């Protein structure tokens, strides 16, 4: 076979195998419709309890799917396995409480699993605030609601 034809055939096969115009289908990407309306907080143990308790966690406040209510959630880690911790969303900032975010709201306590982690959530009637100061506080127990074991200021969504 002619070396020119062999070279041309080799280039043709290599080009077909490495077709730069062939694209695999793109994976489906789902967008979070509330991503730009979500308030977020990092929860930490107050300095006064440093050494005794070192909880970490996060919290969020966002509109529900229909936008008519507000979904509140909290997640904590490095807690004592088997513990049960009441929590609330409050107005103001950690250390400067200005009252309940939603009076009459019952927040299911965070139940801690064997791995020291727990999550809880609650839905509150009404639109999610667009401005203001809010924070999430986690208490030691129902019997000891004066002791805050984790707190975090909710940062407003980027607009």
């Amino acid at each position: 076979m002619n070396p020119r034809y062999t070279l041309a055939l080799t280039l043709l096969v290599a080009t077909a195998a490495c077709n730069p115009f062939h694209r695999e289908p793109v994976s489906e990407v789902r967008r979070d419709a509330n991503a730009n309306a979500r308030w977020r907080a990092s929860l930490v143990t107050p300095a006064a309890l440093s050494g005794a308790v070192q909880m970490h966690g996060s919290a969020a406040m966002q509109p529900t799917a229909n936008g008519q209510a507000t979904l509140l959630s909290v997640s904590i880690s490095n807690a004592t396995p088997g513990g049960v911790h009441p929590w609330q969303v409050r107005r103001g900032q950690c250390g400067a409480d200005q009252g309940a975010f939603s009076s009459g709201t019952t927040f299911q306590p965070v139940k801690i699993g064997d791995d020291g982690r727990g999550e809880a959530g609650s839905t509150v009637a009404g639109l999610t605030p667009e401005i203001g100061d809010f924070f999430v506080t986690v208490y030691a127990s129902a019997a000891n609601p004066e002791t805050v074991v984790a707190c975090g200021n909710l940062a407003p969504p980027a607009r």
Side-chain angles (χ1 to χ4, degrees):
M1 184 179 252
N2 185 334
R4 283 188 187 172
Y5 292 122
T6 303
L7 179 61
L9 183 59
T10 302
L11 287 173
L12 180 64
V13 170
T15 302
C18 300
N19 182 354
F21 301 106
H22 174 74
R23 300 278 187 236
E24 290 296 322
V26 176
S27 299
E28 181 180 338
V29 176
R30 294 183 184 211
R31 293 184 183 223
D32 183 349
N34 291 324
N36 290 331
R38 184 175 297 137
W39 294 66
R40 299 170 195 262
S42 292
L43 303 175
V44 295
T45 296
L49 293 178
S50 182
V53 179
Q54 282 304 119
M55 286 189 192
H56 309 284
S58 61
M61 175 170 69
Q62 68 188 51
T64 56
N66 67 8
Q68 300 302 306
T70 300
L71 178 63
L72 307 165
S73 61
V74 64
S75 174
I76 57 175
S77 62
N78 203 38
T80 303
V84 178
H85 298 280
W87 64 285
Q88 287 186 343
V89 175
R90 311 281 297 169
R91 294 184 181 280
Q93 302 233 330
C94 292
D97 192 334
Q98 297 174 1
F101 167 70
S102 177
S103 61
T105 300
T106 301
F107 293 89
Q108 291 298 317
V110 180
K111 294 180 181 178
I112 307 302
D114 292 338
D115 62 354
R117 299 175 183 272
E119 296 180 351
S122 184
T123 302
V124 176
L127 300 176
T128 303
E130 293 185 13
I131 60 171
D133 291 329
F134 306 95
F135 68 100
V136 174
T137 186
V138 179
Y139 302 102
S141 68
N144 187 3
E146 298 83 29
T147 302
V148 174
V149 293
C151 192
N153 296 323
L154 285 159
R159 299 276 180 203

